Amino acid sequence: MGSCGSKEGVNLSPNESIKDKKVKRIVCIGGGHCNCQVLKLLRKLIKDRQDMEITLVTDNSQSYYSGMLPGSVSTLYKDEQIMVHLEPLAVWSHAKYIQQKVVKIEANKNRIHLKNGSTVEYDVLCVNVGSRTKAGFSVPGVWENSLTTRPINELLPKIRVKEENLKEKGIIPRVVVVGGGAAGTELSLAFKARWGKLFEKEIDVTLLCSKEGPLPYEPPATRTMITKILKERNVTIESNCRVKEILPNKVVLTDGREFDCDVPIWATGAEPQEVSAKSDLALMNGYFRVNNNLQSTSHPNVFSGGDCITMENFADKGYPTKAGVYAVREGPIIAENIVNYLEEKSLIEYIPQRGFLALMMTGDGMALGSKFGISFYGKWVWEMKNFIDLSFMTLFDPNNLFRNYDTKGFKYPIDNF
């Protein structure tokens, strides 16, 4: 068990307890994997209590499930299948819905600042703002000339615009994917599949890896297998790549190598969002610093999860990584801790697992999996991944939150926990 909730960080009179406040204001920033879980569980925990009110503040009306994004790029899914519609989820969760970008967190005064100039005050804050594309601002030409994978909400619309432009000009695209991690590796296979079908011709795809080959931190068996799969699909692998600049028609490396292309894809991982630096919350490695309760180390009435955090007790362990599997598991912990904090009860700890079942689609109805150093590949792996992902998404489908949603909207909520 962790520490107890306390009135520190909340504006209360000396003799006032947060538990005794007439209405406790819970504000959730962001609609990522973590906060989707927080909202669902808060409804279950709070039910019809009148002394707690929830607000969701998000700059997008929907969020995309990152685990299914490469499958959608491959056209194995329709866009709608990987979307969480946030307003229906907020309404179902009895939360006020505000669609605005948060530009600053003023935790010392318990308020957040929105892009439109307004502010929202809170008693407890839950932050799930994700991350942005790594090195996107330090390498010339990334934003101007490439498709960036983060924020993930923007990738699919940008792909559609790009391919329409390519078709209009009669260009069979040459693709260069920068980033040899899981995202870049999956996307190299995804674009190979997507545009091979669209343009009815094999697409040249090159994967640029900063280390010696793709997935450098995975077990040797996984690395061997994914390298074999990439070569079988005629994806060219380049190692030890450091990008100097992205030009409209080529990627230039610091060692002088150049790769001609029509579509550069920037898939280099994560770095902190701008709002992290524009807050007065404690940071670690640029991300919000939290303890094992997923609680800010500087402001105990602030909880945070997903890609935007560093867990101080795990910072030197190499995990948890910026992966959706961790965000999904953090959400229920945060929801319970929010209620426990407001009731001045002991908080519960989140201990992230060192390893997890990693599943990567290969763009053709097959998938590669690994756990405990063992790798496996085939159609059955894709079917397992597909089942897990679709089962998760049904939790947030408006048709499973409201009866007759398509015709009655928010009128008849269902107790679907």
mmCIF file of all heavy atoms in Angstrom, residues 111-149:
data_model
loop_
_atom_site.group_PDB
_atom_site.id
_atom_site.type_symbol
_atom_site.label_atom_id
_atom_site.label_comp_id
_atom_site.label_asym_id
_atom_site.label_seq_id
_atom_site.Cartn_x
_atom_site.Cartn_y
_atom_site.Cartn_z
ATOM 1 N N ARG A 111 -5.024 24.772 -11.199
ATOM 2 C CA ARG A 111 -5.791 25.140 -12.384
ATOM 3 C C ARG A 111 -4.972 24.861 -13.645
ATOM 4 O O ARG A 111 -3.745 24.802 -13.618
ATOM 5 C CB ARG A 111 -6.215 26.601 -12.338
ATOM 6 C CG ARG A 111 -5.096 27.610 -12.400
ATOM 7 C CD ARG A 111 -5.646 29.013 -12.162
ATOM 8 N NE ARG A 111 -4.584 30.009 -12.161
ATOM 9 C CZ ARG A 111 -4.748 31.257 -11.713
ATOM 10 N NH1 ARG A 111 -5.914 31.646 -11.217
ATOM 11 N NH2 ARG A 111 -3.745 32.114 -11.764
ATOM 12 N N ILE A 112 -5.701 24.653 -14.725
ATOM 13 C CA ILE A 112 -5.078 24.445 -16.027
ATOM 14 C C ILE A 112 -5.513 25.573 -16.956
ATOM 15 O O ILE A 112 -6.607 26.133 -16.819
ATOM 16 C CB ILE A 112 -5.446 23.071 -16.624
ATOM 17 C CG1 ILE A 112 -6.963 22.935 -16.807
ATOM 18 C CG2 ILE A 112 -4.898 21.952 -15.765
ATOM 19 C CD1 ILE A 112 -7.395 21.651 -17.506
ATOM 20 N N HIS A 113 -4.640 25.908 -17.883
ATOM 21 C CA HIS A 113 -4.903 26.974 -18.842
ATOM 22 C C HIS A 113 -5.162 26.368 -20.212
ATOM 23 O O HIS A 113 -4.401 25.504 -20.673
ATOM 24 C CB HIS A 113 -3.709 27.928 -18.913
ATOM 25 C CG HIS A 113 -3.456 28.675 -17.643
ATOM 26 N ND1 HIS A 113 -3.784 30.003 -17.469
ATOM 27 C CD2 HIS A 113 -2.907 28.264 -16.469
ATOM 28 C CE1 HIS A 113 -3.435 30.389 -16.249
ATOM 29 N NE2 HIS A 113 -2.910 29.356 -15.619
ATOM 30 N N LEU A 114 -6.232 26.823 -20.873
ATOM 31 C CA LEU A 114 -6.613 26.302 -22.169
ATOM 32 C C LEU A 114 -6.212 27.256 -23.285
ATOM 33 O O LEU A 114 -5.968 28.449 -23.049
ATOM 34 C CB LEU A 114 -8.120 26.054 -22.216
ATOM 35 C CG LEU A 114 -8.704 25.222 -21.076
ATOM 36 C CD1 LEU A 114 -10.189 24.970 -21.305
ATOM 37 C CD2 LEU A 114 -7.959 23.906 -20.913
ATOM 38 N N LYS A 115 -6.135 26.728 -24.497
ATOM 39 C CA LYS A 115 -5.691 27.520 -25.641
ATOM 40 C C LYS A 115 -6.594 28.708 -25.905
ATOM 41 O O LYS A 115 -6.141 29.758 -26.393
ATOM 42 C CB LYS A 115 -5.611 26.621 -26.880
ATOM 43 C CG LYS A 115 -4.967 27.285 -28.083
ATOM 44 C CD LYS A 115 -4.823 26.313 -29.241
ATOM 45 C CE LYS A 115 -4.139 26.980 -30.426
ATOM 46 N NZ LYS A 115 -3.971 26.033 -31.567
ATOM 47 N N ASN A 116 -7.873 28.587 -25.577
ATOM 48 C CA ASN A 116 -8.810 29.689 -25.825
ATOM 49 C C ASN A 116 -8.736 30.791 -24.768
ATOM 50 O O ASN A 116 -9.517 31.737 -24.793
ATOM 51 C CB ASN A 116 -10.244 29.169 -25.937
ATOM 52 C CG ASN A 116 -10.764 28.573 -24.638
ATOM 53 O OD1 ASN A 116 -10.080 28.565 -23.611
ATOM 54 N ND2 ASN A 116 -11.983 28.052 -24.679
ATOM 55 N N GLY A 117 -7.792 30.671 -23.822
ATOM 56 C CA GLY A 117 -7.607 31.703 -22.803
ATOM 57 C C GLY A 117 -8.326 31.440 -21.500
ATOM 58 O O GLY A 117 -8.089 32.143 -20.512
ATOM 59 N N SER A 118 -9.187 30.455 -21.461
ATOM 60 C CA SER A 118 -9.928 30.154 -20.235
ATOM 61 C C SER A 118 -9.114 29.242 -19.321
ATOM 62 O O SER A 118 -8.085 28.696 -19.723
ATOM 63 C CB SER A 118 -11.270 29.506 -20.568
ATOM 64 O OG SER A 118 -11.076 28.251 -21.191
ATOM 65 N N THR A 119 -9.581 29.108 -18.089
ATOM 66 C CA THR A 119 -8.934 28.220 -17.123
ATOM 67 C C THR A 119 -9.968 27.266 -16.533
ATOM 68 O O THR A 119 -11.173 27.557 -16.532
ATOM 69 C CB THR A 119 -8.261 29.008 -15.985
ATOM 70 O OG1 THR A 119 -9.259 29.779 -15.292
ATOM 71 C CG2 THR A 119 -7.169 29.935 -16.519
ATOM 72 N N VAL A 120 -9.484 26.129 -16.042
ATOM 73 C CA VAL A 120 -10.331 25.159 -15.355
ATOM 74 C C VAL A 120 -9.653 24.823 -14.032
ATOM 75 O O VAL A 120 -8.467 24.479 -14.011
ATOM 76 C CB VAL A 120 -10.518 23.868 -16.188
ATOM 77 C CG1 VAL A 120 -11.365 22.851 -15.420
ATOM 78 C CG2 VAL A 120 -11.152 24.182 -17.539
ATOM 79 N N GLU A 121 -10.394 24.933 -12.944
ATOM 80 C CA GLU A 121 -9.835 24.633 -11.629
ATOM 81 C C GLU A 121 -10.186 23.198 -11.224
ATOM 82 O O GLU A 121 -11.173 22.630 -11.676
ATOM 83 C CB GLU A 121 -10.360 25.627 -10.596
ATOM 84 C CG GLU A 121 -9.903 27.060 -10.877
ATOM 85 C CD GLU A 121 -10.259 28.017 -9.747
ATOM 86 O OE1 GLU A 121 -11.115 27.660 -8.905
ATOM 87 O OE2 GLU A 121 -9.686 29.118 -9.717
ATOM 88 N N TYR A 122 -9.347 22.649 -10.366
ATOM 89 C CA TYR A 122 -9.545 21.264 -9.953
ATOM 90 C C TYR A 122 -9.148 21.069 -8.504
ATOM 91 O O TYR A 122 -8.433 21.888 -7.910
ATOM 92 C CB TYR A 122 -8.705 20.333 -10.847
ATOM 93 C CG TYR A 122 -7.216 20.567 -10.753
ATOM 94 C CD1 TYR A 122 -6.444 20.005 -9.734
ATOM 95 C CD2 TYR A 122 -6.555 21.365 -11.686
ATOM 96 C CE1 TYR A 122 -5.074 20.228 -9.645
ATOM 97 C CE2 TYR A 122 -5.188 21.597 -11.607
ATOM 98 C CZ TYR A 122 -4.445 21.019 -10.582
ATOM 99 O OH TYR A 122 -3.104 21.251 -10.490
ATOM 100 N N ASP A 123 -9.633 19.976 -7.942
ATOM 101 C CA ASP A 123 -9.141 19.493 -6.650
ATOM 102 C C ASP A 123 -8.178 18.342 -6.851
ATOM 103 O O ASP A 123 -7.197 18.197 -6.112
ATOM 104 C CB ASP A 123 -10.312 19.063 -5.763
ATOM 105 C CG ASP A 123 -11.213 20.236 -5.408
ATOM 106 O OD1 ASP A 123 -10.707 21.212 -4.833
ATOM 107 O OD2 ASP A 123 -12.415 20.170 -5.734
ATOM 108 N N VAL A 124 -8.476 17.499 -7.850
ATOM 109 C CA VAL A 124 -7.567 16.424 -8.240
ATOM 110 C C VAL A 124 -7.449 16.452 -9.754
ATOM 111 O O VAL A 124 -8.444 16.593 -10.470
ATOM 112 C CB VAL A 124 -8.075 15.041 -7.773
ATOM 113 C CG1 VAL A 124 -7.182 13.936 -8.308
ATOM 114 C CG2 VAL A 124 -8.119 14.967 -6.260
ATOM 115 N N LEU A 125 -6.215 16.295 -10.224
ATOM 116 C CA LEU A 125 -5.942 16.330 -11.657
ATOM 117 C C LEU A 125 -5.364 14.989 -12.098
ATOM 118 O O LEU A 125 -4.530 14.404 -11.407
ATOM 119 C CB LEU A 125 -4.932 17.443 -11.958
ATOM 120 C CG LEU A 125 -4.568 17.687 -13.429
ATOM 121 C CD1 LEU A 125 -5.770 18.227 -14.199
ATOM 122 C CD2 LEU A 125 -3.397 18.671 -13.524
ATOM 123 N N CYS A 126 -5.804 14.516 -13.264
ATOM 124 C CA CYS A 126 -5.247 13.309 -13.873
ATOM 125 C C CYS A 126 -4.726 13.686 -15.254
ATOM 126 O O CYS A 126 -5.499 14.131 -16.116
ATOM 127 C CB CYS A 126 -6.298 12.217 -13.984
ATOM 128 S SG CYS A 126 -5.680 10.707 -14.761
ATOM 129 N N VAL A 127 -3.428 13.515 -15.474
ATOM 130 C CA VAL A 127 -2.776 13.965 -16.703
ATOM 131 C C VAL A 127 -2.389 12.765 -17.561
ATOM 132 O O VAL A 127 -1.670 11.876 -17.118
ATOM 133 C CB VAL A 127 -1.519 14.804 -16.389
ATOM 134 C CG1 VAL A 127 -0.932 15.381 -17.674
ATOM 135 C CG2 VAL A 127 -1.834 15.918 -15.396
ATOM 136 N N ASN A 128 -2.867 12.776 -18.807
ATOM 137 C CA ASN A 128 -2.552 11.710 -19.769
ATOM 138 C C ASN A 128 -2.414 12.353 -21.146
ATOM 139 O O ASN A 128 -3.222 12.142 -22.029
ATOM 140 C CB ASN A 128 -3.651 10.651 -19.738
ATOM 141 C CG ASN A 128 -3.450 9.510 -20.718
ATOM 142 O OD1 ASN A 128 -4.411 8.973 -21.253
ATOM 143 N ND2 ASN A 128 -2.222 9.126 -20.986
ATOM 144 N N VAL A 129 -1.368 13.185 -21.292
ATOM 145 C CA VAL A 129 -1.213 14.001 -22.502
ATOM 146 C C VAL A 129 -0.323 13.355 -23.549
ATOM 147 O O VAL A 129 -0.057 13.944 -24.597
ATOM 148 C CB VAL A 129 -0.670 15.411 -22.159
ATOM 149 C CG1 VAL A 129 -1.677 16.178 -21.324
ATOM 150 C CG2 VAL A 129 0.677 15.333 -21.448
ATOM 151 N N GLY A 130 0.165 12.138 -23.288
ATOM 152 C CA GLY A 130 0.953 11.442 -24.287
ATOM 153 C C GLY A 130 2.317 12.061 -24.513
ATOM 154 O O GLY A 130 2.877 12.730 -23.640
ATOM 155 N N SER A 131 2.852 11.850 -25.710
ATOM 156 C CA SER A 131 4.179 12.333 -26.057
ATOM 157 C C SER A 131 4.147 12.831 -27.493
ATOM 158 O O SER A 131 3.145 12.710 -28.187
ATOM 159 C CB SER A 131 5.205 11.203 -25.902
ATOM 160 O OG SER A 131 4.838 10.089 -26.706
ATOM 161 N N ARG A 132 5.251 13.399 -27.924
ATOM 162 C CA ARG A 132 5.352 13.860 -29.306
ATOM 163 C C ARG A 132 6.556 13.184 -29.971
ATOM 164 O O ARG A 132 7.350 12.514 -29.317
ATOM 165 C CB ARG A 132 5.474 15.376 -29.379
ATOM 166 C CG ARG A 132 6.743 15.936 -28.755
ATOM 167 C CD ARG A 132 6.754 17.453 -28.800
ATOM 168 N NE ARG A 132 7.987 17.994 -28.229
ATOM 169 C CZ ARG A 132 8.225 19.290 -28.100
ATOM 170 N NH1 ARG A 132 7.319 20.182 -28.470
ATOM 171 N NH2 ARG A 132 9.376 19.713 -27.590
ATOM 172 N N THR A 133 6.690 13.379 -31.279
ATOM 173 C CA THR A 133 7.734 12.706 -32.050
ATOM 174 C C THR A 133 9.122 13.120 -31.597
ATOM 175 O O THR A 133 9.429 14.303 -31.505
ATOM 176 C CB THR A 133 7.558 13.025 -33.544
ATOM 177 O OG1 THR A 133 6.292 12.532 -33.973
ATOM 178 C CG2 THR A 133 8.651 12.371 -34.367
ATOM 179 N N LYS A 134 9.964 12.142 -31.326
ATOM 180 C CA LYS A 134 11.322 12.392 -30.853
ATOM 181 C C LYS A 134 12.171 13.034 -31.939
ATOM 182 O O LYS A 134 12.155 12.623 -33.092
ATOM 183 C CB LYS A 134 11.960 11.071 -30.415
ATOM 184 C CG LYS A 134 13.314 11.225 -29.756
ATOM 185 C CD LYS A 134 13.818 9.863 -29.284
ATOM 186 C CE LYS A 134 15.148 9.986 -28.566
ATOM 187 N NZ LYS A 134 15.630 8.659 -28.110
ATOM 188 N N ALA A 135 12.918 14.081 -31.540
ATOM 189 C CA ALA A 135 13.861 14.793 -32.416
ATOM 190 C C ALA A 135 13.171 15.512 -33.565
ATOM 191 O O ALA A 135 13.830 15.968 -34.501
ATOM 192 C CB ALA A 135 14.936 13.852 -32.953
ATOM 193 N N GLY A 136 11.844 15.641 -33.480
ATOM 194 C CA GLY A 136 11.120 16.302 -34.556
ATOM 195 C C GLY A 136 11.488 17.762 -34.730
ATOM 196 O O GLY A 136 11.341 18.331 -35.820
ATOM 197 N N PHE A 137 11.984 18.390 -33.664
ATOM 198 C CA PHE A 137 12.320 19.807 -33.735
ATOM 199 C C PHE A 137 13.822 20.047 -33.891
ATOM 200 O O PHE A 137 14.242 21.178 -34.111
ATOM 201 C CB PHE A 137 11.806 20.531 -32.485
ATOM 202 C CG PHE A 137 10.309 20.589 -32.413
ATOM 203 C CD1 PHE A 137 9.588 19.625 -31.706
ATOM 204 C CD2 PHE A 137 9.598 21.575 -33.063
ATOM 205 C CE1 PHE A 137 8.207 19.663 -31.646
ATOM 206 C CE2 PHE A 137 8.212 21.626 -33.014
ATOM 207 C CZ PHE A 137 7.515 20.659 -32.299
ATOM 208 N N SER A 138 14.620 19.008 -33.771
ATOM 209 C CA SER A 138 16.064 19.188 -33.859
ATOM 210 C C SER A 138 16.644 18.775 -35.210
ATOM 211 O O SER A 138 17.775 19.130 -35.524
ATOM 212 C CB SER A 138 16.771 18.401 -32.743
ATOM 213 O OG SER A 138 16.491 17.015 -32.847
ATOM 214 N N VAL A 139 15.897 18.041 -35.998
ATOM 215 C CA VAL A 139 16.350 17.621 -37.326
ATOM 216 C C VAL A 139 15.604 18.439 -38.379
ATOM 217 O O VAL A 139 14.372 18.365 -38.454
ATOM 218 C CB VAL A 139 16.113 16.109 -37.547
ATOM 219 C CG1 VAL A 139 16.506 15.715 -38.970
ATOM 220 C CG2 VAL A 139 16.895 15.293 -36.541
ATOM 221 N N PRO A 140 16.315 19.219 -39.184
ATOM 222 C CA PRO A 140 15.639 20.049 -40.195
ATOM 223 C C PRO A 140 14.809 19.220 -41.162
ATOM 224 O O PRO A 140 15.242 18.168 -41.624
ATOM 225 C CB PRO A 140 16.814 20.736 -40.917
ATOM 226 C CG PRO A 140 17.950 20.699 -39.952
ATOM 227 C CD PRO A 140 17.772 19.428 -39.168
ATOM 228 N N GLY A 141 13.601 19.719 -41.427
ATOM 229 C CA GLY A 141 12.758 19.117 -42.450
ATOM 230 C C GLY A 141 11.795 18.049 -41.989
ATOM 231 O O GLY A 141 10.962 17.583 -42.775
ATOM 232 N N VAL A 142 11.867 17.661 -40.705
ATOM 233 C CA VAL A 142 10.979 16.589 -40.233
ATOM 234 C C VAL A 142 9.520 16.988 -40.388
ATOM 235 O O VAL A 142 8.707 16.255 -40.980
ATOM 236 C CB VAL A 142 11.292 16.215 -38.770
ATOM 237 C CG1 VAL A 142 10.194 15.312 -38.206
ATOM 238 C CG2 VAL A 142 12.638 15.512 -38.670
ATOM 239 N N TRP A 143 9.155 18.150 -39.854
ATOM 240 C CA TRP A 143 7.752 18.544 -39.879
ATOM 241 C C TRP A 143 7.306 18.972 -41.265
ATOM 242 O O TRP A 143 6.158 18.744 -41.663
ATOM 243 C CB TRP A 143 7.504 19.677 -38.880
ATOM 244 C CG TRP A 143 7.713 19.245 -37.466
ATOM 245 C CD1 TRP A 143 8.736 19.609 -36.626
ATOM 246 C CD2 TRP A 143 6.897 18.332 -36.710
ATOM 247 N NE1 TRP A 143 8.600 18.993 -35.414
ATOM 248 C CE2 TRP A 143 7.489 18.206 -35.435
ATOM 249 C CE3 TRP A 143 5.743 17.613 -36.998
ATOM 250 C CZ2 TRP A 143 6.948 17.388 -34.443
ATOM 251 C CZ3 TRP A 143 5.208 16.802 -36.020
ATOM 252 C CH2 TRP A 143 5.803 16.692 -34.763
ATOM 253 N N GLU A 144 8.219 19.558 -42.021
ATOM 254 C CA GLU A 144 7.846 20.068 -43.339
ATOM 255 C C GLU A 144 7.728 18.968 -44.384
ATOM 256 O O GLU A 144 6.874 19.046 -45.285
ATOM 257 C CB GLU A 144 8.883 21.091 -43.825
ATOM 258 C CG GLU A 144 9.030 22.313 -42.944
ATOM 259 C CD GLU A 144 10.044 22.129 -41.810
ATOM 260 O OE1 GLU A 144 10.432 20.968 -41.534
ATOM 261 O OE2 GLU A 144 10.440 23.140 -41.213
ATOM 262 N N ASN A 145 8.561 17.936 -44.278
ATOM 263 C CA ASN A 145 8.700 17.005 -45.394
ATOM 264 C C ASN A 145 8.370 15.546 -45.100
ATOM 265 O O ASN A 145 8.399 14.728 -46.022
ATOM 266 C CB ASN A 145 10.139 17.081 -45.940
ATOM 267 C CG ASN A 145 10.499 18.466 -46.435
ATOM 268 O OD1 ASN A 145 9.688 19.132 -47.094
ATOM 269 N ND2 ASN A 145 11.703 18.926 -46.119
ATOM 270 N N SER A 146 8.081 15.196 -43.854
ATOM 271 C CA SER A 146 7.827 13.785 -43.552
ATOM 272 C C SER A 146 6.465 13.583 -42.901
ATOM 273 O O SER A 146 5.857 14.537 -42.400
ATOM 274 C CB SER A 146 8.926 13.228 -42.637
ATOM 275 O OG SER A 146 8.832 13.790 -41.342
ATOM 276 N N LEU A 147 6.018 12.334 -42.911
ATOM 277 C CA LEU A 147 4.840 11.941 -42.139
ATOM 278 C C LEU A 147 5.334 11.498 -40.768
ATOM 279 O O LEU A 147 6.120 10.557 -40.660
ATOM 280 C CB LEU A 147 4.099 10.794 -42.821
ATOM 281 C CG LEU A 147 3.489 11.067 -44.190
ATOM 282 C CD1 LEU A 147 2.806 9.803 -44.728
ATOM 283 C CD2 LEU A 147 2.495 12.209 -44.134
ATOM 284 N N THR A 148 4.896 12.177 -39.716
ATOM 285 C CA THR A 148 5.331 11.843 -38.357
ATOM 286 C C THR A 148 4.287 10.963 -37.679
ATOM 287 O O THR A 148 3.083 11.149 -37.877
ATOM 288 C CB THR A 148 5.560 13.112 -37.524
ATOM 289 O OG1 THR A 148 4.359 13.885 -37.491
ATOM 290 C CG2 THR A 148 6.676 13.950 -38.127
ATOM 291 N N THR A 149 4.754 10.012 -36.872
ATOM 292 C CA THR A 149 3.840 9.048 -36.264
ATOM 293 C C THR A 149 3.163 9.572 -35.012
ATOM 294 O O THR A 149 2.207 8.963 -34.529
ATOM 295 C CB THR A 149 4.591 7.757 -35.914
ATOM 296 O OG1 THR A 149 5.696 8.066 -35.056
ATOM 297 C CG2 THR A 149 5.106 7.088 -37.174
#
